[in-house]
């Protein structure tokens, strides 16, 4: 398979765009991993559980997707990811503050 075929499939015109698509896909995989972590933890506990790793995967995936959205200059995607980053960061802050006080 030639790089021209890959570029056409991914709708990119340069190596820079190709690598940004790879970064975006990596962020999406991080985002997907958080749901797998949550699902596995809940199945093990036989109860709905949101483990700490869920919030770290959310933050990492959100940050990577935010960078990708900025590169693509997509205001809808930028706004959506920026709001998530605030929420994920706040949840991690609250979790760590609670642990420090306990």
């Amino acid at each position: 398979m030639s790089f021209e075929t890959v570029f056409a499939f991914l709708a990119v015109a340069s190596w820079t765009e190709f690598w940004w698509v790879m970064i975006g896909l990596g962020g999406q995989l991080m985002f997907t991993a958080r749901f797998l972590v949550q699902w596995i933890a809940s199945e093990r506990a036989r109860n709905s559980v949101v483990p700490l790793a869920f919030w770290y995967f959310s933050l990492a995936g959100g940050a990577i997707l935010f960078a990708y959205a900025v590169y693509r200059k997509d205001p809808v995607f930028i706004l959506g990811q920026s709001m998530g980053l605030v929420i994920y960061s706040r949840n991690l802050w609250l979790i760590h503050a609670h642990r420090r006080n306990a």
Side-chain angles (χ1 to χ4, degrees):
M1 180 181 302
S2 70
F3 77 89
E4 290 93 358
T5 304
V6 173
F7 276 24
F9 178 75
L10 296 174
V12 299
S14 70
W15 283 105
T16 300
E17 288 183 9
F18 170 81
W19 286 113
W20 272 107
V21 168
M22 293 300 104
I23 289 168
L25 289 171
Q28 191 60 51
L29 287 173
M30 283 272 197
F31 227 58
T32 301
R34 73 192 186 132
F35 289 115
L36 294 173
V37 165
Q38 191 274 330
W39 180 30
I40 291 166
S42 293
E43 288 295 330
R44 286 183 179 164
R46 296 282 197 221
N47 190 20
S48 183
V49 175
V50 181
L52 183 62
F54 177 89
W55 298 112
Y56 280 112
F57 276 115
S58 297
L59 188 62
I64 294 168
L65 288 173
F66 178 78
Y68 176 73
V70 169
Y71 172 76
R72 300 294 283 191
K73 298 178 182 148
D74 185 328
V76 174
F77 201 12
I78 291 168
L79 180 62
Q81 290 305 315
S82 63
M83 297 305 296
L85 290 174
V86 170
I87 294 165
Y88 311 143
S89 297
R90 180 63 177 155
N91 274 290
L92 283 167
W93 179 274
L94 292 171
I95 290 166
H96 289 295
H98 178 75
R99 288 182 176 182
R100 274 191 306 270
N101 293 333

